[in-house]
Amino acid sequence: MSRVRTNLQTIIAANVRRRRLELGLSQEQFAEIAGYHRTYIGAVERGERNITVSTLSAIAAALKLDVNELIAPND
Amino acid sequence: MSRVRTNLQTIIAANVRRRRLELGLSQEQFAEIAGYHRTYIGAVERGERNITVSTLSAIAAALKLDVNELIAPND
């Protein structure tokens, strides 16, 4: 089955990275705010982590976004 | 910090259940379509599972919903 849409993990990765940079935060600074390790945030931003909905909520809150903004595909 | 919003796990639980019933499916039928075990779907519908984004995508697809519909709070 062919899928045109980028998968959710990749969308979230791009959104986390873009929003973090928008907030002027390094991965390390953001990791501290969000309560995760810097290497974990790095992996999320590379789309390497299949995160849970509770992590999704925590990351959205730390980025001052609603969860639906964090999962929205961006052109 | 006080949170007015219901947490995401609970929102998803209610949405899965409502949408499954809307489609006229039993938990068992839906579980088969979605590719999960009936007891797992039951646990998701009780808000007992902190599911991953890939499961979120798979459940949304099986319910013919977009992921953002699956995480939207309902009045």
Side-chain angles (χ1 to χ4, degrees):
Chain A
M1 190 165 62
S2 109
R3 297 280 301 257
V4 175
R5 281 201 315 166
T6 315
N7 81 69
L8 194 50
Q9 204 164 310
T10 309
I11 292 169
I12 292 165
N15 287 345
V16 171
R17 181 173 180 79
R18 194 187 51 255
R19 177 62 172 164
R20 173 179 63 74
L21 294 172
E22 213 174 271
L23 296 172
L25 298 170
S26 68
Q27 279 191 354
E28 190 148 13
Q29 291 169 324
F30 174 62
E32 198 165 315
I33 291 168
Y36 295 96
H37 194 272
R38 175 186 53 76
T39 58
Y40 182 75
I41 295 299
V44 170
E45 289 192 3
R46 289 190 302 277
E48 293 169 4
R49 296 285 165 168
N50 184 18
I51 66 177
T52 64
V53 296
S54 72
T55 301
L56 190 68
S57 284
I59 289 179
L63 291 170
K64 303 175 198 299
L65 291 176
D66 285 334
V67 176
N68 64 319
E69 296 177 286
L70 196 51
I71 65 164
N74 239 276
D75 302 311
Chain B
M1 190 165 64
S2 107
R3 298 279 302 255
V4 176
R5 282 202 315 168
T6 315
N7 82 69
L8 194 50
Q9 204 164 310
T10 309
I11 292 169
I12 292 165
N15 286 345
V16 170
R17 182 174 180 78
R18 194 186 51 253
R19 177 63 173 163
R20 172 179 64 74
L21 294 172
E22 213 173 271
L23 295 173
L25 298 170
S26 68
Q27 279 191 352
E28 190 148 13
Q29 291 169 323
F30 174 62
E32 199 165 314
I33 291 167
Y36 295 96
H37 195 272
R38 174 186 54 75
T39 57
Y40 182 75
I41 295 298
V44 170
E45 288 192 4
R46 289 190 301 277
E48 292 168 5
R49 296 283 165 168
N50 183 18
I51 65 175
T52 64
V53 297
S54 73
T55 301
L56 190 68
S57 284
I59 289 179
L63 290 171
K64 302 175 199 298
L65 291 177
D66 286 333
V67 176
N68 65 318
E69 297 177 287
L70 196 51
I71 65 164
N74 239 277
D75 301 311

